[in-house]
Each structure stands twice: as C-alpha cells, then as structure tokens.
C-alpha cells in the first residue's frame, strides 16, 4: 500500500523537493561568498586607518623636511614644493591617477567578467607598495610619494571591484545587512591593528627600536595584513559569465570611459540623482574625517596622543554604528535611515562648534558621535546605490560611485579652508560643513528610490 501511495504521488512533489534543495544550496553558496567578501574590507581597511589616517602623513612630511633645502623646499621633478605640503600634494596626485584608472578598470571588469583577477592585481599591487614603505628611511621622500600614489590608486581600483560584487552576492532584501557587515569587518580590523601599532609606537624604546623604525614597521605591517587577508575573498568569490551587447568594443581610456558611463547613466536619471546627493553629503563626511584632527590640534589645543586615541574610538564605535544602522534599515528602510544619519551629522558638527579647548573628554564624546554615524551612513549608501545599478554594469557604475567617494571630495576641504582664511576661526570652518549634510538631505529626500530601482530593472525590496 505504501508502494502504491508512492507511485500515485503527484509529480510536482518531487520537483518541489528538488527546488527547495536547490534554493538551500544557492543560499549556502551565497553565504560563503558573502563571508569571503567581508574579508576584503577586513584586509584593506588597515591601510586607510593606520597608514593614511595616523602614521604616513607626519612621517613622510618629516622625511621630506630632511631632504629639503635651506628654504624648506623639496624639488620633485624640478618643481619647488614646501616640505610641509608634500604629503597633501602626493595624495592629490594619487586621486588624479585613480580617477584615470577607476572607470577603465570598472569597464574592463564588466566586459570581461573577470573581476577576481583584477581585484587580485589591484590588491597585491597596493599591498606590495604599502609593505615597501618599510624602506622610507633618511631623505627618500620621492620613494615615499611614489609608493603612496601606487597604494592609494590601487586601493581605489580594488574597492570599485569589491563593491561591484555586492549586487551579485546578495538578494535585494539582504543587501543593507551585507553591506553593513562589510564595513563593520573593516572597522574591526582597523581598530585591532591600530592598537597593535600604538603599542609598538609608544613602547618603541623597550623593543629596541627608534621612533622612525617603529613607524616604518607599522606602515609595512599594514601592507602585509592587506595582502594576507585578501587571500580569503579571492578563494571564495567567483566570476560570472558576461552577456555582451552587440557591437560593444574594448575598454577605452579612463576619462573617455567615465564620460561614456555618465552618458549611459542619463538613461537612469533617478540613479544619477541619488549619486548627486551622495556626492554632496559624502563630501561633508570625508571632510570631517580629514579635518577633525586639525580642528582638535589647532582649535582645541589637544595633544597628538589624544587625537590618536580619538581615531581609535571612532574605529571601534563605527563597528557598532554600522551594524546598528543596518538593523534600523531592515526595519525602516535604507533611505530613511540615511536621512536620519545626516541629521545626526548636522547635530554632531553643531556640538563640535561649542567644544571647549583643552578638554579631551568632550573631544572623545565628539569622536564617539562621529563613529556611531560614520560606518552606517557609508554602508547603507553603498547598498542603496547597488539597487539602482542595471545588471551587467556593476563595476562600471561603482567606478563612478567610487569617484564620488574618493576622486571628487575636494569641495568640502576647499570650503573648510576658505572659511578659515576669511574668518580665522576653525570653529567657523567646522560649522560651515553643515551645508553639505543639509543639501544632501534635501536632495536624497527628493529621490523616489522605489522608482529608481524599478527603472534600473531590479526587484524592489519590501523596505528600502
């Protein structure tokens, strides 16, 4: 009787079991890729934290001053440059190189379907350049500038490819959580390695090292960390087959590809509207990050050790902020959560304006506020944009997104500098940045994100 029952069973029952098993297998494969994807943030964020934010600027400036002439100038390529400005100019040069490369790399990845080999090339070029910073002794400022340009440009290109995986490894409903976890992994590693670096730096005498040797070890360790943990995403991420459009040619130069990408984005004006809003409020975010230490040292008269601890506090709390705002996005939608974070940024700057000088505890409170909104606003912006990207153009569109993040964030520092030049007050300069968050809030609030997702041909999550 039971055999008869089995024979008489409906054909669809077996099919349903196979479909369920297939769905479980697909979910497991997706989770495996997501876990690997998180580790690229874990690998590369150490460079941003330890190298760019803490150690390289002061050290490379000292190296340049050691090589300067009697008037305090160095002469790269025969151009007279104040030694104190060398680091800033080198960072600017790295941005120009990245702007030329990112659209080309994005288009090449989309058209070849080989994101992973390109990610490996960019990551290990940057990691090698960072590890080579161990050799920045004496007056080797030219070597330092070259390595900084290579490392920065490589990081920018690798992040384009890394971000382009997000729509491929997560469903629409998972994307906010996945993006937030990636940022949390990055801030976790940044904080952990910065603690190790600070132990070495502060106790360099007990380790038998000079201060310069300790700094060079800290710089090189970031490159070794970056290279070592990049192995994880390279083992777990996979490339997808590409469907080429008729008549599609090879990638062109960086600027031409950028123009072509922006022309293509005109077909999706709502995506372009979001990118404009992001460009503006992210310019404010990046300016606060880059100028907070200057504000602390010059206006609040705080010591270097206080500023380093504040950077560490930002890293630690950014983990909680990214995860917490990811949960809020699941409940309230990414757009509303980002809008709330922009209000929080405005309140934070207003509080910063009134901070008393020579009072570290209040500066730590400000750092805590920045940390709690920093990771979440960046993570959710990335995931929200990913919903508005047409399939097959992920890397190309994320190259434009990454340029908004890294290549075009110069207006904020200009406003900050001009305000200080006119008023002579860093307090006025810091409060002037509120305009970026206010304008970004208005522009983002006007973007109909559901229509933008539908226009890009993507499924709309239940909450966005």
């Amino acid at each position: 009787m039971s055999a008869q029952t089995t024979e008489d069973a409906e054909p669809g029952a077996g099919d349903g079991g196979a479909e369920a098993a297939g769905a479980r297998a697909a979910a497991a494969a997706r989770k495996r890729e997501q876990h690997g994807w998180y580790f690229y943030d874990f690998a590369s964020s150490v460079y941003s934290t330890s190298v760019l934010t803490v150690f390289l600027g002061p050290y490379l400036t000292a190296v340049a001053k050691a090589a300067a002439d009697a008037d305090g100038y160095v002469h790269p390529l025969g151009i007279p440059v104040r030694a104190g400005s060398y680091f800033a100019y080198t960072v600017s040069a790295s941005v120009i190189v990245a702007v030329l490369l990112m659209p080309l790399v994005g288009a090449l990845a989309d058209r070849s379907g080989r994101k992973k080999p390109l990610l490996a090339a960019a990551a290990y070029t940057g990691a090698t350049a960072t590890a080579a910073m161990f050799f920045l002794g004496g007056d080797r400022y030219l070597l330092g500038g070259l390595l900084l340009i290579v490392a920065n440009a490589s990081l920018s290109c690798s992040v384009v490819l890394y971000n382009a995986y997000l729509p491929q490894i997560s469903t629409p409903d998972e994307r906010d959580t996945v993006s937030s976890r990636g940022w949390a992994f990055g801030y976790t590693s940044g904080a952990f390695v910065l603690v190790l670096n600070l132990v070495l730096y502060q106790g360099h005498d007990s380790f038998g090292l000079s201060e310069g040797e300790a700094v060079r070890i800290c710089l090189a360790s970031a490159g070794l960390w970056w290279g070592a943990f990049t192995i994880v995403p390279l083992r777990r991420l996979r490339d997808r087959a590409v469907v080429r459009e008729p008549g599609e040619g090879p990638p062109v130069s960086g600027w031409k590809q950028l123009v072509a990408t922006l022309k293509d984005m005109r077909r999706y004006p709502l995506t372009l509207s979001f990118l404009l809003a992001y460009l503006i409020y992210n310019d404010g975010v990046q300016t606060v990050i880059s100028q907070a230490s200057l504000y602390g040292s010059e206006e609040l008269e705080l010591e270097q050790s206080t500023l380093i601890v504040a950077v560490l506090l930002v890293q630690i709390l950014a983990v909680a902020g990214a995860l917490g705002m990811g949960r809020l996005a699941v409940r309230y939608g990414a757009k509303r959560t980002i809008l709330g974070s922009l209000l929080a940024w405005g309140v934070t700057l207003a509080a910063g304006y009134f901070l008393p000088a020579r009072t570290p505890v209040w500066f730590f409170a400000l750092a805590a506020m920045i940390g709690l909104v920093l990771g979440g606003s960046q993570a959710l912006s990335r995931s929200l944009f990913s919903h508005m990207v047409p399939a097959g153009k992920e890397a190309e569109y994320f190259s434009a997104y990454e340029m908004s993040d890294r290549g075009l964030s110069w207006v904020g520092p200009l406003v900050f500098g001009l305000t200080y030049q006119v008023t002579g007050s860093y307090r006025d300069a810091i409060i002037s940045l509120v305009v970026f968050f206010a304008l970004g809030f208005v522009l983002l609030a006007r973007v109909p994100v559901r229509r933008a997702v539908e226009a890009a041909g993507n499924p709309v999550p239940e909450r966005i």
Side-chain angles (χ1 to χ4, degrees):
M1 183 172 181
S2 84
Q4 182 67 36
T5 303
T6 303
E7 291 175 2
D8 293 343
E10 294 183 7
D15 294 341
E19 288 178 5
R24 287 193 297 270
R30 196 167 63 248
K31 292 294 183 185
R32 175 179 171 81
E33 282 197 274
Q34 289 170 5
H35 292 154
W37 186 80
Y38 298 148
F39 268 91
Y40 191 69
D41 241 328
F42 191 83
S44 62
S45 291
V46 170
Y47 170 83
S48 299
T49 303
S50 289
V51 177
L52 278 185
T53 305
V54 177
F55 289 109
L56 185 58
Y59 184 74
L60 186 56
T61 300
V63 171
K65 287 181 177 179
D69 60 21
D71 296 321
Y73 286 84
V74 291
H75 300 269
L77 303 178
I79 303 170
V81 174
R82 282 192 181 275
S85 301
Y86 181 69
F87 175 71
Y89 288 142
T90 305
V91 172
S92 296
S94 73
V95 170
I96 293 172
V97 173
V99 165
L100 294 173
L101 290 178
M102 285 190 293
L104 181 61
V105 170
L108 181 60
D110 284 335
R111 295 182 184 184
S112 67
R114 295 177 62 80
K115 291 185 182 69
K116 190 158 70 170
L118 291 169
L119 176 61
Y124 282 108
T125 299
T128 301
T130 305
M133 291 178 185
F134 177 79
F135 300 104
L136 298 184
D139 58 358
R140 298 174 181 170
Y141 77 96
L142 285 175
L143 176 62
L146 177 62
L147 293 176
L148 172 57
I149 290 170
V150 172
N152 261 8
S154 298
L155 177 67
S156 295
C157 291
S158 70
V159 171
V160 167
L161 301 162
Y162 164 73
N163 285 340
Y165 271 105
L166 180 59
Q168 298 179 334
I169 65 170
S170 56
T171 65
D173 290 327
E174 294 174 336
R175 212 160 291 167
D176 292 337
T177 299
V178 170
S179 183
S180 297
R181 286 176 179 170
W183 279 104
F185 265 60
Y187 284 118
T188 299
S189 70
F192 176 72
V193 174
L194 185 56
V195 168
L196 298 180
N197 289 162
L198 290 177
V199 169
L200 178 64
Y201 177 72
Q202 298 284 12
H204 60 83
D205 287 334
S206 62
F207 290 105
L209 300 170
S210 68
E211 182 177 337
E213 288 171 337
V215 170
R216 290 191 286 120
I217 290 173
C218 291
L219 294 173
S221 67
L224 295 176
W225 181 283
W226 185 358
F229 284 99
T230 295
I231 294 173
V232 180
L234 293 180
R235 287 180 63 87
R236 294 200 172 190
L237 294 172
R238 63 182 179 85
D239 287 328
R240 271 78 173 170
V242 174
V243 179
R244 290 184 174 82
E245 296 180 5
E248 191 171 37
V252 294
S253 70
W255 282 107
K256 289 183 179 179
Q257 183 57 56
L258 174 62
V259 171
T261 300
L262 292 176
K263 284 183 177 179
D264 185 73
M265 291 181 74
R266 289 168 58 186
R267 298 163 50 198
Y268 307 97
L270 298 181
T271 300
L272 203 55
S273 296
F274 171 82
L275 193 60
L276 175 62
Y278 173 76
L279 185 153
I280 291 172
Y281 70 72
N282 184 64
D283 201 350
V285 171
Q286 298 303 319
T287 306
V288 172
I289 293 171
S290 65
Q291 303 302 321
S293 292
L294 178 64
Y295 181 67
S297 62
E298 297 296 324
E299 184 69 35
L300 304 183
E301 303 175 28
L302 300 174
E303 296 181 356
Q304 182 67 27
S305 59
T306 299
L307 301 178
I308 294 175
V309 172
V311 170
L312 180 59
L313 183 61
V314 168
Q315 295 294 309
I316 294 172
L317 290 180
V319 177
L323 295 176
M325 288 181 63
R327 293 191 180 96
L328 288 175
V330 171
R331 183 170 182 179
Y332 299 106
K335 179 182 174 180
R336 289 182 179 179
T337 307
I338 295 171
L339 289 173
S341 77
L342 297 182
L343 291 175
W345 273 108
V347 171
T348 300
L349 291 180
Y353 178 84
F354 293 104
L355 286 186
R358 298 182 296 280
T359 312
V361 64
W362 288 111
F363 190 71
F364 291 150
L366 181 69
M369 294 172 68
I370 291 174
L372 289 173
V373 294
L374 174 63
S377 59
Q378 292 177 317
L380 295 178
S381 296
R382 176 173 64 184
S383 63
L384 187 57
F385 181 71
S386 72
H387 289 288
M388 306 177 192
V389 176
K393 294 184 177 292
E394 292 86 1
E396 190 175 338
Y397 273 52
F398 266 110
S399 69
Y401 178 89
E402 190 64 16
M403 287 180 63
S404 298
D405 190 7
R406 298 177 187 273
L408 298 178
S409 294
W410 56 269
V411 179
L414 178 63
V415 169
F416 185 93
L418 288 175
T419 303
Y420 176 75
Q421 181 173 330
V422 171
T423 67
S425 168
Y426 282 109
R427 294 185 187 273
D428 292 337
I430 202 74
I431 201 67
S432 70
L433 300 179
V434 170
V435 67
F436 291 90
F437 298 102
L439 183 56
F441 181 98
V442 172
L443 292 176
L444 177 59
R446 293 170 60 88
V447 177
V449 293
R450 288 186 174 276
R451 282 172 46 201
V453 176
E454 292 172 348
N458 295 323
V460 182
E462 182 179 350
R463 292 192 183 276
I464 192 170

